[in-house]
Amino acid sequence: MKNLFVKIAAVGLLMLAPAIAQAAEGYSTANVNMRAGPSTRYPAVAVIPAGSSVEIRGCLSEVNWCDVEFYGGRGWVSGQYVQALYQQRRVYVGPQYYRPLGIPMIRFSVDNYWDRYYRNRDFYRDRDRWSRGPDYYYRDRDNRDRDRDRDNRDRDRNWRERDGDRDGRDRDRDWRDDNQRDDRQRDDRQRGERQRDDRRGDDRRPDRRDFDCRPGDPSCDE
């Protein structure tokens, strides 16, 4: 019976061992962003205040970034901002301490990780581009921004050209209107001058009596 209890206890410990090895307690050393991936170029999902406790779920072997849990949220923090208690002292989490601290070495996949934790985040809709890496995402975004800027410049140039054409047409129309107005004013002046000349001519024309009267004609005395 005693051996049976020993075997059960051993099995229980073996079952608990993977769970224990799945996390280690750590502390943030500064106000640090918890990000959606192991790079400062991934979106920030939370800010971990300095001195806060985090659960280290695993770290990458090739770069010093760790998957941590903070108040029920998950994300990635650089190991240079996380310390853990090792042999009665705090050490910065690095590859040399993964095994002694019981931190598993893991891999990162945008598709799996984001599907599990970030479905309700705005950046989740761009996961296909993010899955190729943050450098690709930003390069793609920069290309889109350049294309948009070029489209805006082309659109502005087209507007300027249309405005220039419209301004030219407006100037031509104004020039024609000015010429027509000048012509009308000149015609009006000429008509006015002719009318004044006609009136002056009427004033200079002698009375008919000056031509009809003859010496001795009684009407000339009127």
Side-chain angles (χ1 to χ4, degrees):
M1 181 65 69
K2 183 177 180 180
N3 290 337
L4 179 61
F5 282 120
V6 171
K7 291 180 179 179
I8 293 174
V11 171
L13 289 174
L14 289 174
M15 293 178 62
L16 288 174
I20 295 173
Q22 291 300 310
E25 187 176 8
Y27 304 89
S28 63
T29 60
N31 295 333
V32 61
N33 284 319
M34 184 169 69
R35 296 187 175 273
S39 169
T40 55
R41 307 198 74 178
Y42 282 102
V45 296
V47 176
I48 302 176
S52 299
S53 175
V54 296
E55 291 292 323
I56 305 171
R57 295 295 180 178
C59 297
L60 301 178
S61 59
E62 62 273 14
V63 291
N64 189 19
W65 279 79
C66 297
D67 175 19
V68 303
E69 181 176 352
F70 176 68
Y71 277 98
R74 289 288 287 272
W76 292 81
V77 176
S78 172
Q80 63 181 338
Y81 295 106
V82 179
Q83 288 182 333
L85 189 62
Y86 176 68
Q87 294 183 352
Q88 306 302 315
R89 61 190 180 93
R90 287 188 178 185
V91 297
Y92 283 96
V93 175
Q96 69 272 28
Y97 295 112
Y98 291 169
R99 184 180 296 275
L101 292 172
I103 299 173
M105 286 188 289
I106 58 176
R107 295 182 179 276
F108 171 71
S109 167
V110 166
D111 293 334
N112 295 334
Y113 198 86
W114 286 23
D115 283 345
R116 192 177 302 125
Y117 301 116
Y118 301 138
R119 284 183 174 274
N120 61 337
R121 297 281 185 159
D122 291 338
F123 54 78
Y124 180 79
R125 62 175 176 267
D126 294 326
R127 67 189 181 282
D128 290 337
R129 286 198 296 271
W130 280 107
S131 64
R132 303 182 187 183
D135 292 336
Y136 176 87
Y137 172 81
Y138 280 101
R139 183 170 60 251
D140 185 40
R141 190 184 67 175
D142 292 342
N143 291 334
R144 294 197 306 272
D145 291 342
R146 282 194 294 272
D147 292 341
R148 184 171 60 250
D149 292 340
R150 184 168 58 250
D151 292 341
N152 290 336
R153 287 195 299 271
D154 293 341
R155 188 161 51 248
D156 292 341
R157 184 171 61 251
N158 292 335
W159 276 108
R160 286 195 299 271
E161 290 174 354
R162 285 196 291 270
D163 290 342
D165 293 341
R166 184 169 60 249
D167 292 341
R169 290 193 299 271
D170 292 342
R171 283 194 298 271
D172 292 341
R173 185 172 59 250
D174 293 341
W175 181 81
R176 290 193 299 270
D177 292 342
D178 291 340
N179 288 341
Q180 292 173 356
R181 184 166 56 252
D182 292 340
D183 292 340
R184 288 195 298 270
Q185 291 175 352
R186 185 168 55 253
D187 293 340
D188 293 341
R189 285 196 300 272
Q190 291 175 353
R191 282 195 298 272
E193 291 174 356
R194 285 196 298 271
Q195 291 174 357
R196 286 195 297 275
D197 291 342
D198 292 341
R199 286 195 296 273
R200 285 197 297 270
D202 292 341
D203 294 340
R204 289 193 302 271
R205 186 179 299 117
D207 195 286
R208 287 187 59 83
R209 290 181 302 175
D210 296 340
F211 296 95
D212 294 341
C213 290
R214 296 290 184 272
D217 189 341
S219 63
C220 291
D221 296 334
E222 296 179 1

